[in-house]
Amino acid sequence: MKRRRHRDRAATAGFTLIETLISVAMMVAIIAALATVTGQWLPNWNRGFARVQRSELLALGLERIVADLAAAEFVPPHGLTKEPLFEGAELSVTFVRSAIGPNTSRGLEVVRLAEVSEGGTLALVRLRAPFAPLPPQGMATSYLRLGNPIVLVRAPYRLSFAYAGPDRVWRDTWRGALELPRAVRITLRNAATQAVLSSSTATLIHVDTAAECAAAKNPGTCTKPRAVENL
């Protein structure tokens, strides 16, 4: 009797072949359903992640641009002129500021923020070089040899600059003035739609006149002789 009970218990223990096949089929169905859901969700997650990353990089680039412009200094290109080395255009701006960064030496550096072509698209790049007196002949900025490019703003965004003096009138260019602009406006657009984005900003330049003008009895006479070029 005991042997018969043992044989019956052994015959009913474990899974049958049909139960195993059903379990495998259910597992395959569950994995297929999860793969379908993941395949639909993952591209949206990647697009969202890329959008967030692009926004963070844009914010860092704008922060770098604002900090550079605010730190522009009144430095003539050579000893034969009182005009500061500052050339502002709609899509580029060149100026002098105190050198920053881990690979720079103490002193001044020339910085140019300019739009260049990058892989078939446009990007705003920061170029720099140590400052040294430039030849007095011709346009001072033509002698600059700038390097160390760093991309600050990439497509689909584009930047444009505008400059305002004491009269608070915005101009597309700033050249040939005896003072730096009081403020620089940074307009950010979507390159595809040309819509102005809310990230657009403006910054004040900390120093806009020469040190000798601050000590003059009539500081206004230091900046009278020439007018700002406005194209």
Side-chain angles (χ1 to χ4, degrees):
M1 182 66 70
K2 291 183 178 181
R3 292 180 180 177
R4 183 176 180 181
R5 289 179 180 177
H6 178 73
R7 287 196 299 269
D8 293 341
R9 192 181 301 113
T12 57
F15 292 98
T16 64
L17 178 60
I18 295 178
E19 291 174 336
T20 302
L21 293 176
I22 293 175
S23 300
V24 172
M26 292 178 63
M27 184 181 301
V28 171
I30 292 173
I31 293 175
L34 290 175
T36 302
V37 173
T38 304
Q40 295 175 350
W41 167 78
L42 192 58
N44 293 331
W45 185 87
N46 287 335
R47 284 192 294 269
F49 181 78
R51 190 180 302 113
V52 171
Q53 188 177 41
R54 189 165 58 243
S55 298
E56 290 180 349
L57 292 175
L58 176 63
L60 291 174
L62 288 175
E63 184 179 349
R64 175 73 274 160
I65 293 170
V66 169
D68 276 334
L69 290 170
E73 298 193 16
F74 193 104
V75 179
H78 48 77
L80 301 180
T81 182
K82 293 184 178 180
E83 297 175 2
L85 177 55
F86 189 98
E87 183 176 322
E90 187 176 6
L91 298 178
S92 66
V93 56
T94 304
F95 54 93
V96 180
R97 64 153 299 163
S98 298
I100 59 170
N103 298 323
T104 58
S105 58
R106 297 181 60 182
L108 299 173
E109 65 179 1
V110 182
V111 176
R112 174 177 291 165
L113 306 173
E115 193 175 67
V116 300
S117 177
E118 184 199 37
T121 61
L122 295 174
L124 188 84
V125 175
R126 184 186 192 269
L127 303 163
R128 59 165 297 275
F131 173 78
L134 301 173
Q137 299 83 13
M139 185 177 295
T141 54
S142 64
Y143 295 99
L144 295 174
R145 298 294 179 266
L146 303 170
N148 300 320
I150 299 175
V151 178
L152 298 180
V153 177
R154 284 189 167 91
Y157 305 113
R158 293 191 70 183
L159 282 182
S160 60
F161 302 99
Y163 314 89
D167 56 5
R168 299 183 181 181
V169 176
W170 292 107
R171 300 171 174 86
D172 292 334
T173 60
W174 190 279
R175 299 188 185 96
L178 290 176
E179 58 183 347
L180 297 176
R182 295 286 179 86
V184 180
R185 183 176 64 194
I186 304 163
T187 303
L188 181 67
R189 289 184 172 85
N190 185 304
T193 64
Q194 296 300 314
V196 177
L197 304 180
S198 60
S199 300
S200 301
T201 184
T203 181
L204 296 174
I205 293 181
H206 299 160
V207 177
D208 58 1
T209 56
E212 59 193 44
C213 290
K217 293 182 179 180
N218 186 5
T221 59
C222 292
T223 58
K224 286 291 186 183
R226 293 189 60 181
V228 177
E229 178 184 344
N230 185 16
L231 300 178

